[in-house]
Amino acid sequence: MSEAAKAVVRRNTEEVQGGGDFEVFDELFADDFRDHTPQPNMIPTKEGVRGLYHALRAAFPDFHADIHWQAAEGDLVTTFKTYRGTHLGTFLGVEPTGRKIQFETVDAMRVRDGKIVEHWGVANLFSLMHQLGGFPKADS
């Protein structure tokens, strides 16, 4: 069960987030999906995650992740990864900068019957916003 659950989460990271394949998104996410840690201005549902993924791909067309490791206990999969991309669209109010970005994320996703049903995550948005110039530099 754990290996199958890890494969589902890996497909989401690689094919949906990295490849923009939203047919796979519909295949992988349960209709009653619940995000326990939604990103700013996102709703905690399947449609909210779809919106987030679209926003990320619009802001960073080459958005992708390097998965460093995954661990699973039953149907719960934890993944540590680094997202990368080029800022070519507006993101969280920051106009395109053309900068290459990277930020780390740890996600836990519950998979049941081959579908992602729950998510908890911590993304280093502070680092991302700093890279985009979204925060002023501190005076020395």
Side-chain angles (χ1 to χ4, degrees), residues 5 21-23 32 36 41 50 65 74 108-109 111 113 128 139:
D21 190 335
F22 285 91
E23 288 181 23
D32 62 349
H36 298 281
N41 302 317
R50 183 192 315 272
M109 293 184 154
V111 178
D113 300 322
L128 173 60
D139 293 332

Side-chain angles (χ1 to χ4, degrees), residues 44-55:
T45 65
K46 180 177 180 177
E47 290 312 308
V49 172
R50 183 192 315 272
L52 172 63
Y53 287 2
H54 276 293

Side-chain angles (χ1 to χ4, degrees), residues 22 42 50-60 89-91:
F22 285 91
M42 296 293 166
R50 183 192 315 272
L52 172 63
Y53 287 2
H54 276 293
L56 286 166
R57 297 221 36 93
F60 310 98
T90 302
F91 186 72

Side-chain angles (χ1 to χ4, degrees), residues 67-139:
I67 295 175
H68 304 295
W69 57 260
Q70 285 185 300
E73 183 174 327
D75 63 359
L76 190 60
V77 178
T78 302
T79 307
F80 173 61
K81 56 195 163 195
T82 300
Y83 286 117
R84 301 176 193 285
T86 308
H87 185 216
L88 300 178
T90 302
F91 186 72
L92 294 178
V94 179
E95 295 296 319
T97 62
R99 294 178 182 159
K100 299 276 186 192
I101 58 91
Q102 68 177 44
F103 64 99
E104 296 76 26
T105 298
V106 176
D107 284 311
M109 293 184 154
R110 187 174 311 282
V111 178
R112 288 204 181 115
D113 300 322
K115 296 200 180 268
I116 300 167
V117 296
E118 290 182 281
H119 168 263
W120 298 262
V122 179
N124 192 344
L125 292 182
F126 182 82
S127 172
L128 173 60
M129 294 305 288
H130 182 73
Q131 292 171 63
L132 297 179
F135 295 133
K137 294 195 187 286
D139 293 332

